[in-house]
């Protein structure tokens, strides 16, 4: 007589680890945001060729027409097609956002990495400068920079870039401080490897995650800052279209021509929200703590499905 075999206690297999791209697009909100952002970028880039009307084509007789098959977004007080102006303005807003964030990223990395890796007096001096910049409200500092120089697209890019430099400096410094004590960095230092080589080969690759996330989030704030400056007349100058400038022009027609404010405002809202949601998705993938939480949740769901079978 043979002994009865005990029931199997082998746990169900854990969910396989997803790659970064699959984990990023496993979130439906991230997918929707990425698709929306891609459409905004595509339409903005192709706007000079696909816009149905000229951005400054004035038709006084057709002023303040509501949305129709001829003018999908209606016309403004001068008879200009609102849809064409929104599309072309998107290219300017995205260009300013990308260039200004690139300026902030470059300056912020230089300051943050230098302060975090060097430490001591260099760290103290650089971070006190950053603290001074942080003491000013973002919009007020941007207004001061633009007011000193001539308002325009170039000045707007520089102003927004300077305003967001302290944020990147703080993020870079905090990341470098954690990486600087890593064994591979200390080994390279004891071997006499030049500091520039250590920073390029070991430090920068290991702080790329927080920097990428901050870049995507800063793009959303740069879009809002550019719209605010243009609304105040210190950004892109007329007759060139801008989302903020179009909102300023629509102030006097809110009750008679709602479309003049709704469509530029919707463009700002959708673009900024898409950047924020993509940034949140990148944070979930690149932040080890967030990724661990997501993977643990997937493993629990996989175990529950296995036990139900």
């Amino acid at each position: 007589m043979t002994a009865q075999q005990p029931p199997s206690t082998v746990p169900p297999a854990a969910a396989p680890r997803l790659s970064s791209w699959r984990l990023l697009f496993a979130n439906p909100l991230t997918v929707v945001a990425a698709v929306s952002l891609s459409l905004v970028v595509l339409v903005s880039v192709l706007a000079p060729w696909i816009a149905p009307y000229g951005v400054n084509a004035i038709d006084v007789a057709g002023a303040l027409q509501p949305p129709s098959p001829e003018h999908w977004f209606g016309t403004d007080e001068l008879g200009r097609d609102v849809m064409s102006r929104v599309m072309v303005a998107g290219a300017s807003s995205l260009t300013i956002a990308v260039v200004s964030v690139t300026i902030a990223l470059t300056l912020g990395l230089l300051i943050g990495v230098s302060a975090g890796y060097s430490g001591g007096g260099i760290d103290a001096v650089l971070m006190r400068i950053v603290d001074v910049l942080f003491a000013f409200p973002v919009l007020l500092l941007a207004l001061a920079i633009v007011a000193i120089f001539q308002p325009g697209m170039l000045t707007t890019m520089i102003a927004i870039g300077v305003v967001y430099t302290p944020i990147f400096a703080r993020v870079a410094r905090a990341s470098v401080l954690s990486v600087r004590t890593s064994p591979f960095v200390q080994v390279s230092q004891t071997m006499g490897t030049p500091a520039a080589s250590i920073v390029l080969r070991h430090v920068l690759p290991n702080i790329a995650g927080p920097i990428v996330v901050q870049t995507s989030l800063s793009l959303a704030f740069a879009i809002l800052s550019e719209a605010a400056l243009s609304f105040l007349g210190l950004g892109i100058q007329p007759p060139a279209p801008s989302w903020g400038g179009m909102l300023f022009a629509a102030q006097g027609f809110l009750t008679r021509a709602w479309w003049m404010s709704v469509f530029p405002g919707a463009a700002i809202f959708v673009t900024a929200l898409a950047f924020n949601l993509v940034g949140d998705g990148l944070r979930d993938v690149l932040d080890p703590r967030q990724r661990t939480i997501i993977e643990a949740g997937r493993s629990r769901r996989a175990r529950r499905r296995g036990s139900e079978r």
Side-chain angles (χ1 to χ4, degrees):
M1 184 175 179
T2 59
Q4 185 178 3
Q5 296 293 329
S8 175
T9 58
V10 178
R17 186 175 178 84
L18 289 177
S19 65
S20 296
W21 285 108
R22 290 183 61 193
L23 184 61
L24 177 64
F25 290 107
N27 187 343
L29 281 177
T30 303
V31 175
V32 173
V35 172
S36 301
L37 187 58
S38 299
L39 289 175
V40 171
V41 173
L42 182 63
V43 170
S44 300
V45 171
L46 298 179
W49 296 277
I50 64 176
Y53 299 92
V55 293
N56 292 315
I58 297 176
D59 180 14
V60 179
L64 300 179
Q65 290 186 5
S68 63
E70 291 77 20
H71 300 279
W72 288 6
F73 291 180
T75 60
D76 63 8
E77 75 280 10
L78 298 177
R80 296 172 297 189
D81 183 65
V82 174
M83 180 178 177
S84 299
R85 292 178 63 79
V86 168
M87 293 167 63
V88 174
S92 301
S93 295
L94 291 173
T95 299
I96 290 176
V98 171
V99 174
S100 61
V101 170
T102 301
I103 293 173
L105 171 63
T106 304
L107 295 177
L109 277 179
L110 287 174
I111 296 173
V113 172
S114 300
Y117 188 80
S118 301
I122 296 177
D123 183 19
V125 172
L126 291 177
M127 296 316 295
R128 294 301 75 77
I129 296 174
V130 170
D131 290 339
V132 170
L133 292 176
F134 259 124
F136 291 93
V138 171
L139 185 57
L140 180 61
L141 181 58
L143 286 172
I145 295 174
V146 173
I148 293 173
F149 303 97
Q150 184 178 0
M153 190 170 182
L154 178 60
T155 308
T156 302
M157 291 187 291
I158 295 174
I160 297 176
V162 171
V163 164
Y164 288 106
T165 294
I167 300 176
F168 282 95
R170 282 282 184 87
V171 172
R173 176 180 178 270
S175 302
V176 171
L177 288 176
S178 63
V179 174
R180 188 179 64 178
T181 58
S182 301
F184 54 86
V185 173
Q186 295 180 344
V187 168
S188 298
Q189 291 173 338
T190 57
M191 294 175 61
T193 306
S197 179
I198 295 175
V199 169
L200 292 175
R201 294 179 57 186
H202 300 298
V203 176
L204 290 180
N206 284 279
I207 68 172
I211 296 299
V212 169
V213 174
Q214 185 58 51
T215 299
S216 63
L217 296 176
S218 295
L219 286 169
F221 291 111
I223 291 286
L224 297 176
S225 298
E226 183 277 325
L229 290 174
S230 296
F231 181 86
L232 296 174
L234 297 175
I236 298 175
Q237 298 299 297
S242 66
W243 290 337
M246 295 176 70
L247 289 177
F248 177 80
Q251 288 183 104
F253 304 93
L254 292 178
T255 57
R256 289 188 294 162
W258 55 266
W259 53 88
M260 287 180 60
S261 59
V262 167
F263 292 112
I268 297 172
F269 172 78
V270 170
T271 306
L273 180 62
F275 273 124
N276 276 319
L277 292 178
V278 171
D280 288 341
L282 289 172
R283 182 193 59 192
D284 293 340
V285 173
L286 299 176
D287 187 346
R289 291 171 295 182
Q290 292 289 336
R291 180 162 186 150
T292 300
I293 294 173
I294 295 174
E295 294 287 354
R298 293 186 63 254
S299 298
R300 287 194 297 270
R301 290 193 295 271
R303 286 194 294 268
R304 283 198 299 268
R305 287 194 296 266
S307 62
E308 290 172 358
R309 295 193 187 100

